[in-house]
Amino acid sequence: MNPHRGLPEDMTEAYYRGLMHSVGYRKKDLEKPQIAVVNSWTDVNPGHQPLRELAQRVREGIWAAGGCPGEFNVPAPCDGMAQGPGMHYILPQRDLIAASIEAMVGAHGFEGIVMLGSCDKILPGMLMAAIRMNLPTLFLTAGAMMPCRLGGKVVTTPDLKEAIGQRNNGKIDQETFLDWQERFCATSGTCSMMGTANTMGCFLEATGLAPFGSATMLAFDAAKVRQARDVGERVVELTRQKRPFRDYLTPQNLENGIRYVSASGGSTNAVLHLMACASLMEMGMTLDAFGRIQASVPVVGKYKPSSGFNLTDFHEAGGVLALLGAIKGYLDLDIELPMGGRLEEYLEGLPAPDGQIIRAAGNPLEEGGCFAVLRGNLAPDGAVVKKTGVEPGMLRHRGEAVVFDSEEDVREFLLKRAVKPGSVLVVRYEGPKGGPGMRELSIPAGMLVGMGLHTSVAMVTDGRFSGATRGPCVGHVCPEAWDDGPIAYVHDGDLIEIDVPEGRLQLLVPDDELKRRREAGTKKPNHPAPGLLTAYRKMVGSADTGALWL
């Protein structure tokens, strides 16, 4: 805060100093490195509820190392709670969080930052702010939710989504459904699956921006307190060294992180967020380049909902560090990590992978990464699918389109009408502008699985899916319908071809017919954009470059 720290006091700073004295800071405190503790604690998000206490431990570490902490808060929405209408506001908050951190840190002149966050849009927003501010910065997540053990079976959050479909089909009764609803989310912490929250938390570990083990350990593990103090102490040291953030998050390290995410079967939302980071870093990375980087590694781990293993299983098998060890032949090992040392040093002498929860690179679950970037006349600028979550028999699929202009329409269809096997459910006008907000269709996708339709019915959208999604669900179709993308001109009954191995998403309609439909035009549905959503719709970019807004 004081650019002249260590020099004779400037009398023009009296106003600043007087106000800081009023909230308890002493003169000597203001001569120390000023560290922002950016806390996303909230009572209404399980992944963030533990952060109030954790922030105090970070502050202890900062004080102990001779720094001066100053804490402020940012929003922390829960994607799971914001399903439906609330989802319009989720992706915009990623950029609002980034902008609010940038504004507060810049206004108060902090010299270093600790970011405390856990969930889907909060960590990416914090990461984007760190790239922009380029100050010494470390991250710490709250840790994972304890899995629920129920009737001899271990269940986690995505099982509850699929239970909606099971209840709708009559596979379970109402009493069982309500019991599951109350018990599946057993504690606070991030949902025990490889959704977006844990994909991004583990990405921070893999790039050394957070301590190893921090994302995967249980939220109430005592080691979390020790980690918090370590992070507080370390950020003071980095600040004294004046080490900017982008000394550590280099293009090479970002690419390492992309390879890690792919090898661990991460969330498709990571594609959106890491493309946004690459855009802010001015790397010139295209969606196709992202696809090539992620395809350069084998998939050596898959976790809930793409397998039976949850996040605690992953942690006990060695977590991020062990998985990095399994794919070290594909990584740039000469990466300096902000917590100290180089990546190569951390991976020396690791035990061999257990072979089940984490496979050896020579015996992978799948070659060529966990994602596929699809192109074709339905997605000229690309689309994304998590191929490792797709049943082998659905990797190539051709079916008749059933078209919807909103998430609400497809939900109602799934609840009230018979779904014809072989169909392709096309959900459009849910892109960044069209939604607005690029809503995730995780409930409809979960319902498909719960209803047993994921082996015969595909879904295609210009919106997105949760990291908890499995099944033949193709998202991020670009250009989106609101921007006059081809998806706006699909009709019920049109044949659509999805070919994941060949990277193809094709509308099987003659070119002259598509041209005729374009010339005839189409009417946009009434998707209101009140308040901040008006500005969002006007300014947000396309999903293929990260849907950047602010």
Side-chain angles (χ1 to χ4, degrees), residues 460-518:
V460 174
T461 182
D462 53 7
R464 57 191 179 83
F465 293 102
S466 166
T469 297
R470 62 188 177 106
C473 297
V474 180
H476 306 204
V477 170
C478 294
E480 61 172 298
W482 199 269
D483 276 341
D484 205 41
I487 193 172
Y489 299 97
V490 181
H491 289 180
D492 284 337
D494 287 348
L495 279 179
I496 292 176
E497 180 187 36
I498 302 168
D499 191 326
V500 175
E502 296 298 322
R504 187 165 62 247
L505 179 61
Q506 196 76 4
L507 178 64
L508 301 180
V509 170
D511 290 345
D512 58 347
E513 170 61 14
L514 270 180
K515 182 180 178 182
R516 186 193 65 77
R517 292 181 188 180
R518 280 191 177 279

Side-chain angles (χ1 to χ4, degrees), residues 175-199:
E175 184 178 356
T176 299
F177 181 64
L178 292 177
D179 181 53
W180 287 5
Q181 177 179 286
E182 189 167 325
R183 299 174 65 185
F184 272 25
C185 302
T187 68
S188 61
T190 57
C191 300
S192 189
M193 60 181 180
M194 199 52 76
T196 309
N198 286 316
T199 296

Side-chain angles (χ1 to χ4, degrees), residues 36-348:
V37 179
V38 184
N39 194 354
S40 55
W41 168 81
T42 173
D43 249 347
V44 290
N45 182 337
H48 292 249
Q49 193 181 50
L51 295 177
R52 178 160 59 178
E53 180 180 348
L54 208 58
Q56 298 308 309
R57 307 306 182 192
V58 170
R59 291 165 65 102
E60 289 170 4
I62 292 170
W63 283 120
C68 179
E71 183 178 348
F72 65 89
N73 284 75
V74 295
C78 174
D79 286 45
M81 294 182 187
Q83 295 296 318
M87 186 57 69
H88 291 296
Y89 292 91
I90 290 295
L91 187 58
Q93 285 194 70
R94 179 196 70 177
D95 294 54
L96 282 174
I97 289 164
S100 66
I101 295 169
E102 179 184 355
M104 185 66 177
V105 170
H108 277 238
F110 288 103
E111 301 165 85
I113 310 171
V114 175
M115 305 281 197
L116 288 165
S118 292
C119 289
D120 299 33
K121 305 306 171 290
I122 298 88
L123 289 178
M126 290 177 163
L127 188 56
M128 288 162 59
I131 292 169
R132 284 175 170 153
M133 299 304 296
N134 202 27
L135 293 171
T137 305
L138 293 175
F139 290 76
L140 190 64
T141 58
M145 182 184 291
M146 183 177 73
C148 174
R149 299 184 183 275
L150 191 64
K153 183 180 178 182
V154 177
V155 290
T156 62
T157 316
D159 298 299
L160 186 56
K161 292 181 183 179
E162 295 177 11
I164 298 171
Q166 292 174 309
R167 178 69 191 100
N168 189 56
N169 262 11
K171 292 181 180 178
I172 57 174
D173 58 29
Q174 183 69 0
E175 184 178 356
T176 299
F177 181 64
L178 292 177
D179 181 53
W180 287 5
Q181 177 179 286
E182 189 167 325
R183 299 174 65 185
F184 272 25
C185 302
T187 68
S188 61
T190 57
C191 300
S192 189
M193 60 181 180
M194 199 52 76
T196 309
N198 286 316
T199 296
M200 294 306 298
C202 291
F203 167 86
L204 294 171
E205 284 191 42
T207 51
L209 303 173
F212 286 117
S214 53
T216 56
M217 72 169 52
L218 291 171
F220 46 81
D221 194 316
K224 181 61 67 175
V225 173
R226 300 192 292 274
Q227 281 181 347
R229 291 195 178 110
D230 289 343
V231 165
E233 290 179 354
R234 179 63 179 165
V235 79
V236 175
E237 186 176 348
L238 292 175
T239 303
R240 287 199 172 107
Q241 296 171 2
K242 300 186 183 302
R243 296 298 301 271
F245 185 70
R246 288 169 67 173
D247 268 13
Y248 297 108
L249 189 61
T250 60
Q252 294 79 12
N253 201 6
L254 182 70
E255 291 183 11
N256 266 5
I258 292 170
R259 293 185 180 97
Y260 163 80
V261 167
S262 182
S264 61
S267 162
T268 52
N269 279 322
V271 182
L272 189 75
H273 301 320
L274 297 179
M275 284 300 299
C277 291
S279 295
L280 292 175
M281 293 169 68
E282 300 179 331
M283 290 173 57
M285 184 183 292
T286 64
L287 188 59
D288 287 336
F290 184 102
R292 289 192 293 272
I293 293 165
Q294 71 84 30
S296 68
V297 291
V299 179
V300 296
K302 289 203 300 187
Y303 308 101
K304 284 267 188 179
S306 295
S307 81
F309 299 122
N310 58 53
L311 206 70
T312 296
D313 297 326
F314 180 41
H315 182 74
E316 291 173 351
V320 172
L321 198 58
L323 196 143
L324 287 171
I327 61 166
K328 66 181 181 181
Y330 300 86
L331 301 175
D332 183 342
L333 301 179
D334 191 31
I335 296 291
E336 186 180 4
L337 304 184
M339 288 300 292
R342 296 188 175 274
L343 181 59
E344 185 175 27
E345 297 168 27
Y346 286 89
L347 302 185
E348 288 176 356

Side-chain angles (χ1 to χ4, degrees), residues 162 165-166 169 171 305 389 443-455 468-473:
E162 295 177 11
Q166 292 174 309
N169 262 11
K171 292 181 180 178
I443 295 296
M447 291 171 67
L448 277 181
V449 175
M451 295 165 72
L453 295 171
H454 62 296
T455 58
T469 297
R470 62 188 177 106
C473 297

